[in-house]
Amino acid sequence: MKRILIIDDAATVRMYHRNILESIGYTVEEAMNGIEALEKALQEPFDLYIVDVNMPKLDGYGFLSQLRSEEIPQNPAIMVSTEAAIHDQTAAFRAGANCYLVKPVRPVQLLTHVRLLLGEESK
Amino acid sequence: MAFVKKQVTETVSEDERKQNRDCADLLVGLADANATTRRWAARDLVDCPGSATALVERLKIESEPSVREVILTSLTKLGDPSAIVGLVECLRSEDAALRNEVVEAMKQLPDDVAPIMQALLNDADPDVRIFTVNVLESLCHPDVEAWLIEVIDHDAHVNVCATAVDLLGEVGTQAAAAALTRLKARFGDDPYIQFAADLALKRINED
């Protein structure tokens, strides 16, 4: 069973993404900021990360940069943000994101990218 | 006889204050090549009225996290109109870390930022409106719920409304119920708004 970590400071957003992912059988864990996410990922790396940009303590860019510098399996990350500007997307890819989705994210859109990045297009 | 732990009184030499605490010298120190000097300058400038503009200008280019933190603390303590204007200016920064730090700093200034909340919630930039709603999250102010209702009734941007709904799910009362229902109708095809508004309504009705 693939494990996915949702990192977002908004509880409602975490719950929304969790419902979508659990509905087709993924195992989901949550973190409220980049620091908590990094601790969880270092303990046991996840198969995929869904990362919000704006979070207190350590934002999404900071989390991804630090994650990518660790000697752990470098699994894919989807960055999710309210900001659609090119400079935000460029910063996300520079930090180590594999995909950038602008909120609000529709269930089909999220699942399509999750499946693609996990190599499960037929799921 | 109880064991008495020896008090350690040594200071870390690397972090000793080396500069004069005269305001003019502190402003010079804010641009010093040494981060420790900049940190001390930022800390001591809190006693220099009128230093907020210089602190904000430094904040925009400062790359050392510990200096940024001290600058934000000093701006929060200063809390004067220049500090507030400077913080709002930083909300428009392309630097996500800076924006987040500024949101956290503004949350510490409820009385000072409250008068400008209405203007910020009507800013032309939806990102600024979203950050303003984020500031409201920890703002212990009696008008917070009314401001959020205003947002979900009138803001045209789905993500501004979504951020406001998240917060109404935590602080909303029956006063917000009708507006949440109107929001669901206004963004009838958005799954996130439907989910978040239903969740907020459920919590409100449970209370």
Side-chain angles (χ1 to χ4, degrees), chain B residues 77-144:
Chain B
K77 284 181 182 165
L78 281 165
D80 59 21
S82 300
I84 304 298
V85 167
L87 290 171
V88 170
E89 207 179 307
C90 291
L91 282 183
R92 301 179 200 282
S93 167
E94 291 187 4
D95 179 345
L98 176 59
R99 292 190 308 250
N100 288 323
E101 287 162 4
V102 166
V103 167
E104 294 307 307
M106 288 177 75
K107 285 177 181 175
Q108 310 303 316
L109 297 163
D111 293 336
D112 303 286
V113 300
I116 58 167
M117 281 293 113
Q118 197 79 57
L120 287 175
L121 288 171
N122 288 307
D123 194 278
D125 182 347
D127 287 338
V128 169
R129 302 203 297 278
I130 288 170
F131 296 137
T132 305
V133 174
N134 286 333
V135 172
L136 293 181
E137 185 186 338
S138 300
L139 208 67
C140 296
H141 191 278
D143 290 338
V144 166

Short mmCIF file of all heavy atoms in Angstrom, two decimals, chain B residues 77-144:
data_model
loop_
_atom_site.label_atom_id
_atom_site.label_comp_id
_atom_site.label_asym_id
_atom_site.label_seq_id
_atom_site.Cartn_x
_atom_site.Cartn_y
_atom_site.Cartn_z
N LYS B 77 7.57 44.69 18.12
CA LYS B 77 7.60 45.49 19.35
C LYS B 77 7.39 46.97 19.04
O LYS B 77 6.73 47.66 19.80
CB LYS B 77 8.94 45.28 20.06
CG LYS B 77 9.03 43.95 20.78
CD LYS B 77 10.36 43.82 21.48
CE LYS B 77 10.46 42.44 22.17
NZ LYS B 77 11.84 42.12 22.55
N LEU B 78 7.97 47.43 17.92
CA LEU B 78 7.79 48.84 17.55
C LEU B 78 6.30 49.08 17.26
O LEU B 78 5.70 50.00 17.80
CB LEU B 78 8.64 49.19 16.34
CG LEU B 78 10.12 49.46 16.60
CD1 LEU B 78 10.91 49.43 15.28
CD2 LEU B 78 10.32 50.80 17.29
N GLY B 79 5.72 48.25 16.40
CA GLY B 79 4.28 48.30 16.12
C GLY B 79 3.74 49.66 15.70
O GLY B 79 2.53 49.90 15.78
N ASP B 80 4.61 50.56 15.24
CA ASP B 80 4.14 51.89 14.84
C ASP B 80 3.65 51.84 13.38
O ASP B 80 3.81 50.83 12.70
CB ASP B 80 5.23 52.94 15.04
CG ASP B 80 6.50 52.63 14.25
OD1 ASP B 80 6.42 51.86 13.27
OD2 ASP B 80 7.56 53.15 14.63
N PRO B 81 3.04 52.94 12.90
CA PRO B 81 2.49 52.92 11.53
C PRO B 81 3.53 52.52 10.47
O PRO B 81 3.20 51.79 9.53
CB PRO B 81 2.00 54.35 11.32
CG PRO B 81 1.67 54.82 12.70
CD PRO B 81 2.68 54.19 13.60
N SER B 82 4.78 52.94 10.63
CA SER B 82 5.80 52.59 9.63
C SER B 82 6.07 51.09 9.64
O SER B 82 6.29 50.47 8.59
CB SER B 82 7.12 53.32 9.92
OG SER B 82 6.92 54.68 9.86
N ALA B 83 6.07 50.50 10.83
CA ALA B 83 6.29 49.06 10.94
C ALA B 83 5.14 48.30 10.26
O ALA B 83 5.37 47.35 9.51
CB ALA B 83 6.39 48.64 12.41
N ILE B 84 3.92 48.76 10.50
CA ILE B 84 2.75 48.08 9.91
C ILE B 84 2.78 48.20 8.38
O ILE B 84 2.60 47.22 7.66
CB ILE B 84 1.42 48.69 10.45
CG1 ILE B 84 1.38 48.62 11.98
CG2 ILE B 84 0.21 47.98 9.85
CD1 ILE B 84 1.42 47.24 12.56
N VAL B 85 3.03 49.42 7.90
CA VAL B 85 3.08 49.63 6.45
C VAL B 85 4.17 48.76 5.82
O VAL B 85 3.97 48.14 4.78
CB VAL B 85 3.34 51.14 6.14
CG1 VAL B 85 3.71 51.35 4.67
CG2 VAL B 85 2.10 51.95 6.49
N GLY B 86 5.30 48.69 6.50
CA GLY B 86 6.41 47.87 6.00
C GLY B 86 6.07 46.39 5.96
O GLY B 86 6.39 45.70 5.00
N LEU B 87 5.41 45.92 7.00
CA LEU B 87 5.01 44.51 7.04
C LEU B 87 4.02 44.20 5.92
O LEU B 87 4.14 43.18 5.24
CB LEU B 87 4.40 44.16 8.41
CG LEU B 87 5.38 44.14 9.59
CD1 LEU B 87 4.63 43.99 10.91
CD2 LEU B 87 6.37 43.00 9.44
N VAL B 88 3.08 45.11 5.72
CA VAL B 88 2.09 44.90 4.65
C VAL B 88 2.79 44.85 3.28
O VAL B 88 2.47 44.02 2.43
CB VAL B 88 1.02 46.02 4.68
CG1 VAL B 88 0.14 45.96 3.44
CG2 VAL B 88 0.16 45.89 5.93
N GLU B 89 3.76 45.72 3.12
CA GLU B 89 4.54 45.75 1.88
C GLU B 89 5.20 44.38 1.63
O GLU B 89 5.25 43.89 0.51
CB GLU B 89 5.62 46.82 2.06
CG GLU B 89 6.12 47.47 0.79
CD GLU B 89 7.17 48.51 1.15
OE1 GLU B 89 6.88 49.40 2.01
OE2 GLU B 89 8.26 48.41 0.62
N CYS B 90 5.69 43.78 2.71
CA CYS B 90 6.37 42.47 2.59
C CYS B 90 5.39 41.35 2.25
O CYS B 90 5.82 40.30 1.76
CB CYS B 90 7.11 42.12 3.88
SG CYS B 90 8.53 43.17 4.17
N LEU B 91 4.11 41.56 2.51
CA LEU B 91 3.11 40.54 2.12
C LEU B 91 3.09 40.38 0.61
O LEU B 91 2.64 39.37 0.09
CB LEU B 91 1.71 40.95 2.59
CG LEU B 91 1.34 40.74 4.05
CD1 LEU B 91 -0.11 41.15 4.27
CD2 LEU B 91 1.54 39.30 4.48
N ARG B 92 3.55 41.40 -0.11
CA ARG B 92 3.55 41.35 -1.58
C ARG B 92 4.85 40.77 -2.13
O ARG B 92 5.05 40.71 -3.34
CB ARG B 92 3.36 42.76 -2.16
CG ARG B 92 2.08 43.41 -1.74
CD ARG B 92 1.92 44.82 -2.32
NE ARG B 92 0.96 45.58 -1.55
CZ ARG B 92 -0.35 45.45 -1.66
NH1 ARG B 92 -0.84 44.58 -2.52
NH2 ARG B 92 -1.18 46.16 -0.93
N SER B 93 5.73 40.35 -1.24
CA SER B 93 7.04 39.83 -1.67
C SER B 93 6.89 38.52 -2.45
O SER B 93 5.96 37.76 -2.24
CB SER B 93 7.90 39.61 -0.44
OG SER B 93 9.03 38.84 -0.78
N GLU B 94 7.84 38.28 -3.34
CA GLU B 94 7.86 37.00 -4.06
C GLU B 94 8.53 35.92 -3.21
O GLU B 94 8.55 34.75 -3.59
CB GLU B 94 8.61 37.15 -5.39
CG GLU B 94 7.85 38.01 -6.39
CD GLU B 94 8.50 38.03 -7.75
OE1 GLU B 94 9.52 37.34 -7.94
OE2 GLU B 94 8.00 38.77 -8.62
N ASP B 95 9.08 36.31 -2.08
CA ASP B 95 9.77 35.38 -1.18
C ASP B 95 8.74 34.76 -0.22
O ASP B 95 8.24 35.41 0.70
CB ASP B 95 10.82 36.19 -0.40
CG ASP B 95 11.60 35.33 0.59
OD1 ASP B 95 11.16 34.22 0.90
OD2 ASP B 95 12.65 35.82 1.06
N ALA B 96 8.42 33.48 -0.47
CA ALA B 96 7.37 32.81 0.33
C ALA B 96 7.71 32.77 1.81
O ALA B 96 6.85 32.96 2.67
CB ALA B 96 7.13 31.40 -0.19
N ALA B 97 9.00 32.54 2.12
CA ALA B 97 9.40 32.46 3.53
C ALA B 97 9.15 33.80 4.22
O ALA B 97 8.63 33.85 5.34
CB ALA B 97 10.88 32.07 3.62
N LEU B 98 9.50 34.89 3.52
CA LEU B 98 9.28 36.22 4.09
C LEU B 98 7.80 36.48 4.31
O LEU B 98 7.39 36.96 5.37
CB LEU B 98 9.89 37.29 3.17
CG LEU B 98 9.67 38.74 3.60
CD1 LEU B 98 10.26 39.00 4.98
CD2 LEU B 98 10.29 39.71 2.59
N ARG B 99 6.97 36.13 3.31
CA ARG B 99 5.52 36.34 3.46
C ARG B 99 5.00 35.59 4.69
O ARG B 99 4.23 36.14 5.48
CB ARG B 99 4.79 35.84 2.21
CG ARG B 99 5.05 36.65 0.97
CD ARG B 99 4.11 36.26 -0.14
NE ARG B 99 4.07 34.84 -0.42
CZ ARG B 99 4.56 34.26 -1.53
NH1 ARG B 99 5.13 34.98 -2.45
NH2 ARG B 99 4.45 32.96 -1.71
N ASN B 100 5.42 34.34 4.85
CA ASN B 100 4.94 33.55 5.99
C ASN B 100 5.41 34.14 7.31
O ASN B 100 4.67 34.18 8.29
CB ASN B 100 5.43 32.10 5.87
CG ASN B 100 4.69 31.37 4.78
OD1 ASN B 100 3.51 31.58 4.58
ND2 ASN B 100 5.38 30.51 4.06
N GLU B 101 6.66 34.61 7.33
CA GLU B 101 7.19 35.20 8.57
C GLU B 101 6.41 36.47 8.91
O GLU B 101 6.13 36.75 10.07
CB GLU B 101 8.67 35.53 8.39
CG GLU B 101 9.57 34.29 8.37
CD GLU B 101 10.95 34.54 7.77
OE1 GLU B 101 11.27 35.69 7.42
OE2 GLU B 101 11.70 33.57 7.63
N VAL B 102 6.06 37.25 7.88
CA VAL B 102 5.32 38.49 8.10
C VAL B 102 3.90 38.19 8.61
O VAL B 102 3.41 38.87 9.52
CB VAL B 102 5.30 39.35 6.81
CG1 VAL B 102 4.28 40.46 6.91
CG2 VAL B 102 6.68 39.92 6.55
N VAL B 103 3.27 37.17 8.04
CA VAL B 103 1.93 36.79 8.52
C VAL B 103 2.00 36.46 10.01
O VAL B 103 1.18 36.93 10.81
CB VAL B 103 1.38 35.58 7.72
CG1 VAL B 103 0.17 34.98 8.41
CG2 VAL B 103 1.01 36.01 6.30
N GLU B 104 3.02 35.68 10.38
CA GLU B 104 3.16 35.31 11.80
C GLU B 104 3.41 36.55 12.67
O GLU B 104 2.87 36.66 13.77
CB GLU B 104 4.31 34.30 11.98
CG GLU B 104 4.04 32.96 11.33
CD GLU B 104 2.72 32.33 11.74
OE1 GLU B 104 2.47 32.20 12.94
OE2 GLU B 104 1.91 31.99 10.84
N ALA B 105 4.21 37.50 12.16
CA ALA B 105 4.50 38.73 12.92
C ALA B 105 3.23 39.57 13.09
O ALA B 105 2.96 40.10 14.17
CB ALA B 105 5.59 39.54 12.23
N MET B 106 2.44 39.67 12.00
CA MET B 106 1.23 40.49 12.07
C MET B 106 0.20 39.91 13.04
O MET B 106 -0.58 40.64 13.64
CB MET B 106 0.63 40.67 10.67
CG MET B 106 1.47 41.59 9.80
SD MET B 106 0.85 41.75 8.12
CE MET B 106 -0.56 42.83 8.35
N LYS B 107 0.24 38.60 13.20
CA LYS B 107 -0.69 37.96 14.15
C LYS B 107 -0.41 38.42 15.58
O LYS B 107 -1.26 38.31 16.45
CB LYS B 107 -0.55 36.44 14.08
CG LYS B 107 -1.19 35.81 12.86
CD LYS B 107 -0.92 34.32 12.86
CE LYS B 107 -1.52 33.63 11.66
NZ LYS B 107 -1.15 32.19 11.61
N GLN B 108 0.81 38.88 15.81
CA GLN B 108 1.18 39.33 17.17
C GLN B 108 0.74 40.77 17.43
O GLN B 108 0.96 41.30 18.51
CB GLN B 108 2.72 39.27 17.36
CG GLN B 108 3.37 37.96 16.96
CD GLN B 108 2.77 36.78 17.70
OE1 GLN B 108 2.55 36.84 18.90
NE2 GLN B 108 2.47 35.71 16.97
N LEU B 109 0.17 41.43 16.42
CA LEU B 109 -0.17 42.85 16.55
C LEU B 109 -1.67 43.11 16.34
O LEU B 109 -2.04 43.95 15.51
CB LEU B 109 0.61 43.66 15.50
CG LEU B 109 2.12 43.65 15.60
CD1 LEU B 109 2.75 44.12 14.30
CD2 LEU B 109 2.56 44.54 16.75
N PRO B 110 -2.54 42.41 17.07
CA PRO B 110 -3.97 42.52 16.78
C PRO B 110 -4.51 43.95 16.81
O PRO B 110 -5.23 44.35 15.90
CB PRO B 110 -4.63 41.65 17.86
CG PRO B 110 -3.60 41.44 18.90
CD PRO B 110 -2.28 41.53 18.21
N ASP B 111 -4.14 44.70 17.83
CA ASP B 111 -4.70 46.05 17.94
C ASP B 111 -4.16 46.98 16.86
O ASP B 111 -4.86 47.88 16.39
CB ASP B 111 -4.38 46.66 19.32
CG ASP B 111 -5.11 45.90 20.43
OD1 ASP B 111 -6.15 45.29 20.12
OD2 ASP B 111 -4.62 45.91 21.57
N ASP B 112 -2.91 46.74 16.46
CA ASP B 112 -2.29 47.63 15.48
C ASP B 112 -2.73 47.33 14.05
O ASP B 112 -2.84 48.24 13.23
CB ASP B 112 -0.77 47.53 15.59
CG ASP B 112 -0.30 47.86 16.99
OD1 ASP B 112 -0.33 49.04 17.35
OD2 ASP B 112 0.04 46.92 17.73
N VAL B 113 -2.93 46.05 13.75
CA VAL B 113 -3.30 45.72 12.36
C VAL B 113 -4.81 45.73 12.14
O VAL B 113 -5.25 45.82 10.99
CB VAL B 113 -2.69 44.37 11.89
CG1 VAL B 113 -1.19 44.40 11.94
CG2 VAL B 113 -3.25 43.19 12.67
N ALA B 114 -5.59 45.64 13.23
CA ALA B 114 -7.05 45.60 13.07
C ALA B 114 -7.58 46.75 12.20
O ALA B 114 -8.41 46.51 11.32
CB ALA B 114 -7.73 45.58 14.44
N PRO B 115 -7.12 47.99 12.42
CA PRO B 115 -7.69 49.09 11.62
C PRO B 115 -7.43 48.97 10.11
O PRO B 115 -8.14 49.60 9.32
CB PRO B 115 -6.98 50.34 12.18
CG PRO B 115 -6.48 49.94 13.52
CD PRO B 115 -6.17 48.49 13.43
N ILE B 116 -6.41 48.20 9.72
CA ILE B 116 -6.13 48.11 8.28
C ILE B 116 -6.63 46.80 7.66
O ILE B 116 -6.49 46.58 6.47
CB ILE B 116 -4.62 48.27 7.98
CG1 ILE B 116 -3.80 47.18 8.72
CG2 ILE B 116 -4.13 49.66 8.32
CD1 ILE B 116 -2.38 47.08 8.23
N MET B 117 -7.24 45.95 8.49
CA MET B 117 -7.70 44.67 7.98
C MET B 117 -8.73 44.83 6.86
O MET B 117 -8.67 44.15 5.84
CB MET B 117 -8.32 43.83 9.11
CG MET B 117 -7.31 43.15 10.00
SD MET B 117 -6.39 41.86 9.13
CE MET B 117 -4.77 42.55 9.11
N GLN B 118 -9.67 45.75 7.07
CA GLN B 118 -10.73 45.95 6.07
C GLN B 118 -10.12 46.34 4.72
O GLN B 118 -10.51 45.80 3.68
CB GLN B 118 -11.67 47.06 6.56
CG GLN B 118 -13.01 47.09 5.83
CD GLN B 118 -13.97 46.02 6.36
OE1 GLN B 118 -14.25 46.01 7.54
NE2 GLN B 118 -14.44 45.16 5.49
N ALA B 119 -9.14 47.25 4.76
CA ALA B 119 -8.50 47.68 3.51
C ALA B 119 -7.75 46.52 2.86
O ALA B 119 -7.80 46.33 1.64
CB ALA B 119 -7.55 48.84 3.79
N LEU B 120 -7.05 45.73 3.67
CA LEU B 120 -6.29 44.60 3.13
C LEU B 120 -7.21 43.53 2.55
O LEU B 120 -6.87 42.88 1.56
CB LEU B 120 -5.38 43.99 4.20
CG LEU B 120 -4.17 44.83 4.61
CD1 LEU B 120 -3.43 44.17 5.77
CD2 LEU B 120 -3.22 45.01 3.43
N LEU B 121 -8.38 43.36 3.16
CA LEU B 121 -9.32 42.37 2.64
C LEU B 121 -9.95 42.82 1.32
O LEU B 121 -10.57 42.04 0.62
CB LEU B 121 -10.42 42.08 3.67
CG LEU B 121 -9.98 41.27 4.89
CD1 LEU B 121 -11.07 41.24 5.95
CD2 LEU B 121 -9.60 39.84 4.50
N ASN B 122 -9.76 44.10 1.00
CA ASN B 122 -10.26 44.62 -0.28
C ASN B 122 -9.12 44.92 -1.25
O ASN B 122 -9.33 45.56 -2.28
CB ASN B 122 -11.08 45.89 -0.04
CG ASN B 122 -12.42 45.58 0.61
OD1 ASN B 122 -13.17 44.75 0.11
ND2 ASN B 122 -12.69 46.19 1.74
N ASP B 123 -7.91 44.45 -0.93
CA ASP B 123 -6.75 44.70 -1.79
C ASP B 123 -7.00 44.08 -3.18
O ASP B 123 -7.68 43.06 -3.31
CB ASP B 123 -5.51 44.06 -1.14
CG ASP B 123 -4.22 44.54 -1.77
OD1 ASP B 123 -3.82 44.00 -2.83
OD2 ASP B 123 -3.61 45.46 -1.20
N ALA B 124 -6.41 44.70 -4.19
CA ALA B 124 -6.62 44.20 -5.55
C ALA B 124 -5.95 42.83 -5.77
O ALA B 124 -6.38 42.05 -6.63
CB ALA B 124 -6.05 45.21 -6.55
N ASP B 125 -4.93 42.53 -5.00
CA ASP B 125 -4.17 41.29 -5.18
C ASP B 125 -4.80 40.17 -4.34
O ASP B 125 -4.80 40.24 -3.10
CB ASP B 125 -2.71 41.54 -4.75
CG ASP B 125 -1.83 40.31 -4.95
OD1 ASP B 125 -2.37 39.21 -5.19
OD2 ASP B 125 -0.60 40.47 -4.85
N PRO B 126 -5.32 39.12 -4.97
CA PRO B 126 -5.95 38.05 -4.18
C PRO B 126 -4.98 37.37 -3.21
O PRO B 126 -5.41 36.91 -2.14
CB PRO B 126 -6.44 37.04 -5.24
CG PRO B 126 -5.79 37.43 -6.52
CD PRO B 126 -5.42 38.87 -6.42
N ASP B 127 -3.69 37.32 -3.55
CA ASP B 127 -2.73 36.70 -2.62
C ASP B 127 -2.65 37.49 -1.32
O ASP B 127 -2.59 36.91 -0.23
CB ASP B 127 -1.34 36.61 -3.27
CG ASP B 127 -1.29 35.55 -4.35
OD1 ASP B 127 -2.14 34.63 -4.31
OD2 ASP B 127 -0.43 35.64 -5.24
N VAL B 128 -2.68 38.83 -1.45
CA VAL B 128 -2.66 39.66 -0.23
C VAL B 128 -3.92 39.42 0.58
O VAL B 128 -3.87 39.33 1.82
CB VAL B 128 -2.49 41.16 -0.59
CG1 VAL B 128 -2.72 42.05 0.62
CG2 VAL B 128 -1.10 41.41 -1.18
N ARG B 129 -5.06 39.25 -0.11
CA ARG B 129 -6.31 38.99 0.62
C ARG B 129 -6.24 37.64 1.34
O ARG B 129 -6.72 37.49 2.46
CB ARG B 129 -7.51 39.04 -0.35
CG ARG B 129 -7.64 40.37 -1.09
CD ARG B 129 -9.04 40.66 -1.58
NE ARG B 129 -9.57 39.73 -2.55
CZ ARG B 129 -9.32 39.76 -3.88
NH1 ARG B 129 -8.53 40.71 -4.37
NH2 ARG B 129 -9.87 38.88 -4.69
N ILE B 130 -5.61 36.65 0.68
CA ILE B 130 -5.47 35.33 1.33
C ILE B 130 -4.57 35.44 2.57
O ILE B 130 -4.90 34.93 3.64
CB ILE B 130 -4.88 34.30 0.33
CG1 ILE B 130 -5.94 33.95 -0.72
CG2 ILE B 130 -4.43 33.03 1.06
CD1 ILE B 130 -5.42 33.13 -1.89
N PHE B 131 -3.45 36.16 2.43
CA PHE B 131 -2.55 36.30 3.59
C PHE B 131 -3.26 37.06 4.71
O PHE B 131 -3.04 36.78 5.89
CB PHE B 131 -1.26 37.04 3.19
CG PHE B 131 -0.44 36.28 2.18
CD1 PHE B 131 0.13 36.92 1.10
CD2 PHE B 131 -0.25 34.91 2.31
CE1 PHE B 131 0.87 36.22 0.16
CE2 PHE B 131 0.49 34.21 1.37
CZ PHE B 131 1.05 34.86 0.30
N THR B 132 -4.11 38.03 4.33
CA THR B 132 -4.84 38.79 5.36
C THR B 132 -5.79 37.86 6.12
O THR B 132 -5.88 37.94 7.35
CB THR B 132 -5.62 39.95 4.70
OG1 THR B 132 -4.70 40.73 3.93
CG2 THR B 132 -6.27 40.83 5.74
N VAL B 133 -6.46 36.98 5.41
CA VAL B 133 -7.33 36.01 6.09
C VAL B 133 -6.48 35.13 7.01
O VAL B 133 -6.88 34.81 8.13
CB VAL B 133 -8.14 35.16 5.08
CG1 VAL B 133 -8.91 34.06 5.79
CG2 VAL B 133 -9.09 36.04 4.28
N ASN B 134 -5.28 34.77 6.55
CA ASN B 134 -4.38 33.98 7.41
C ASN B 134 -4.02 34.74 8.69
O ASN B 134 -3.89 34.14 9.75
CB ASN B 134 -3.10 33.60 6.65
CG ASN B 134 -3.34 32.52 5.63
OD1 ASN B 134 -4.24 31.70 5.77
ND2 ASN B 134 -2.55 32.51 4.57
N VAL B 135 -3.84 36.05 8.55
CA VAL B 135 -3.54 36.86 9.74
C VAL B 135 -4.71 36.82 10.71
O VAL B 135 -4.53 36.72 11.93
CB VAL B 135 -3.21 38.33 9.35
CG1 VAL B 135 -3.09 39.20 10.60
CG2 VAL B 135 -1.92 38.40 8.53
N LEU B 136 -5.93 36.84 10.16
CA LEU B 136 -7.12 36.84 11.02
C LEU B 136 -7.20 35.60 11.90
O LEU B 136 -7.83 35.61 12.95
CB LEU B 136 -8.40 36.91 10.16
CG LEU B 136 -8.65 38.21 9.38
CD1 LEU B 136 -9.98 38.09 8.63
CD2 LEU B 136 -8.72 39.40 10.33
N GLU B 137 -6.55 34.52 11.44
CA GLU B 137 -6.61 33.24 12.15
C GLU B 137 -6.30 33.37 13.65
O GLU B 137 -6.95 32.75 14.47
CB GLU B 137 -5.62 32.27 11.49
CG GLU B 137 -5.67 30.89 12.05
CD GLU B 137 -4.57 30.01 11.46
OE1 GLU B 137 -4.08 30.32 10.36
OE2 GLU B 137 -4.21 29.03 12.12
N SER B 138 -5.29 34.15 13.95
CA SER B 138 -4.90 34.26 15.36
C SER B 138 -5.19 35.64 15.94
O SER B 138 -4.69 36.00 16.99
CB SER B 138 -3.41 33.97 15.52
OG SER B 138 -3.13 32.68 15.07
N LEU B 139 -5.98 36.40 15.21
CA LEU B 139 -6.24 37.78 15.65
C LEU B 139 -7.43 37.78 16.60
O LEU B 139 -8.57 37.58 16.17
CB LEU B 139 -6.52 38.64 14.42
CG LEU B 139 -6.20 40.11 14.50
CD1 LEU B 139 -4.71 40.34 14.59
CD2 LEU B 139 -6.73 40.83 13.26
N CYS B 140 -7.17 37.96 17.88
CA CYS B 140 -8.27 37.97 18.84
C CYS B 140 -8.97 39.32 18.75
O CYS B 140 -8.66 40.23 19.52
CB CYS B 140 -7.75 37.70 20.24
SG CYS B 140 -7.03 36.08 20.39
N HIS B 141 -9.86 39.46 17.80
CA HIS B 141 -10.55 40.73 17.60
C HIS B 141 -12.04 40.44 17.41
O HIS B 141 -12.41 39.49 16.71
CB HIS B 141 -9.97 41.44 16.36
CG HIS B 141 -10.42 42.85 16.21
ND1 HIS B 141 -11.63 43.18 15.66
CD2 HIS B 141 -9.82 44.01 16.57
CE1 HIS B 141 -11.76 44.50 15.67
NE2 HIS B 141 -10.68 45.03 16.22
N PRO B 142 -12.90 41.26 18.00
CA PRO B 142 -14.34 40.95 17.95
C PRO B 142 -14.94 40.96 16.54
O PRO B 142 -16.01 40.38 16.32
CB PRO B 142 -14.97 42.04 18.83
CG PRO B 142 -13.94 43.12 18.95
CD PRO B 142 -12.63 42.43 18.84
N ASP B 143 -14.29 41.61 15.59
CA ASP B 143 -14.86 41.72 14.24
C ASP B 143 -14.44 40.59 13.30
O ASP B 143 -14.85 40.58 12.13
CB ASP B 143 -14.48 43.07 13.61
CG ASP B 143 -15.19 44.22 14.28
OD1 ASP B 143 -16.24 43.97 14.91
OD2 ASP B 143 -14.69 45.35 14.20
N VAL B 144 -13.63 39.65 13.77
CA VAL B 144 -13.09 38.64 12.87
C VAL B 144 -14.19 37.88 12.11
O VAL B 144 -14.14 37.74 10.89
CB VAL B 144 -12.16 37.64 13.62
CG1 VAL B 144 -11.89 36.40 12.78
CG2 VAL B 144 -10.84 38.32 13.97
#
